[in-house]
Amino acid sequence: MKFALLLFDPKDYWDSVSSEAMEAALAEHAAFAQYLREQRITFFAQAVKPAREARTLRPSTQGPVSAAGPFVALDQDLAGFYVIECADLDEAEKIARHCPIGAGIEIRPVWDAPS
């Protein structure tokens, strides 16, 4: 099964951190990626830009309507994600406990796309 580890940080956090803090965070994620490789866990990962740079499509009677920003206003920003492949939610949580946590990590099963 595949699970998304959705990584959250305090809103606008990365606008205020020092370059040293940024480098330390990147090193933590490099270490987590190395852990995943050592455990032979299939994964891919990506950081995402801040919510203020997002655009959302919402349904309307006239079709999709574009709006600036994320779908839901949050006190945290979605900062990035990993998609890992493992047996079940319990194993996904065990793996996620090795990931830098920021403001939180949501562990969510991923639907397999039909071929």
Side-chain angles (χ1 to χ4, degrees), residues 4 6 19 22 29 40 45 51 62-63 67 70 77 89 99-101 103 110-111:
L6 305 175
S19 60
M22 175 70 82
H29 285 283
R40 299 182 191 268
Q62 292 81 32
D77 277 337
L89 184 58
C99 184
I101 198 161
V110 174
W111 290 103

Side-chain angles (χ1 to χ4, degrees), residues 55-73:
R55 182 175 299 157
T56 301
L57 293 177
R58 294 187 174 97
S60 77
T61 56
Q62 292 81 32
V65 175
S66 178
F71 188 70
V72 177

Side-chain angles (χ1 to χ4, degrees), residues 1-4 44 83-87 108-115:
M1 292 181 70
K2 290 181 183 161
F3 293 87
F44 70 91
V83 175
I84 60 172
E85 196 159 331
C86 57
R108 190 182 299 190
V110 174
W111 290 103
D112 284 326
S115 301

Side-chain angles (χ1 to χ4, degrees), residues 28-114:
E28 287 182 298
H29 285 283
F32 180 60
Q34 182 61 32
Y35 164 80
L36 294 172
R37 284 190 285 278
E38 289 170 357
Q39 299 300 312
R40 299 182 191 268
I41 297 166
T42 301
F43 76 97
F44 70 91
Q46 192 68 52
V48 297
K49 294 206 174 191
R52 67 177 174 274
E53 296 186 38
R55 182 175 299 157
T56 301
L57 293 177
R58 294 187 174 97
S60 77
T61 56
Q62 292 81 32
V65 175
S66 178
F71 188 70
V72 177
L74 300 171
D75 287 339
Q76 296 89 29
D77 277 337
L78 176 64
F81 62 89
Y82 289 87
V83 175
I84 60 172
E85 196 159 331
C86 57
D88 56 30
L89 184 58
D90 290 335
E91 184 179 2
E93 180 180 339
K94 180 179 175 186
I95 293 164
R97 288 178 178 277
H98 293 271
C99 184
I101 198 161
I105 299 173
E106 180 178 336
I107 305 165
R108 190 182 299 190
V110 174
W111 290 103
D112 284 326

